Amino acid sequence: MIMGGKRTVRMSGVEFVRRFLRHGPLSGLKRIRHYGVLTSSCKAVKLHAARLALQMPGATRT
C-alpha cells in the first residue's frame, strides 16, 4: 500500500472525465470570480502596482 506518495494510474477516458468532473462546485454554491487584484472597482490601480512590483515592461512610475 502506498501512503502519501504519488502513483501513476491507468484508466479509461470515461473514468478520467468522471473524476475530473467531481472537482466542480456543488449545485447551489457561488464562485467568487473577481477578488483581489482583478476587482473592477480598483483594477487599473492594483494592476499597475502589480506590474511595477514585477518590473514588467511598459509599467512606468507616475
Side-chain angles (χ1 to χ4, degrees):
M1 174 181 267
I2 299 175
M3 298 189 61
K6 292 184 179 182
R7 61 190 172 124
T8 303
V9 178
R10 286 188 181 264
M11 64 184 77
S12 69
V14 173
E15 177 64 13
F16 174 79
V17 171
R18 185 188 72 79
R19 289 186 186 193
F20 181 78
L21 291 176
R22 288 180 60 198
H23 292 285
L26 299 173
S27 62
L29 294 180
K30 302 279 185 186
R31 287 188 187 193
I32 299 173
R33 295 182 185 178
H34 303 290
Y35 185 77
V37 175
L38 298 178
T39 308
S40 62
S41 63
C42 56
K43 181 192 279 186
V45 174
K46 288 186 176 182
L47 204 51
H48 181 71
R51 287 180 174 146
L52 283 174
L54 294 170
Q55 300 174 352
M56 292 182 70
T60 57
R61 290 196 181 270
T62 56

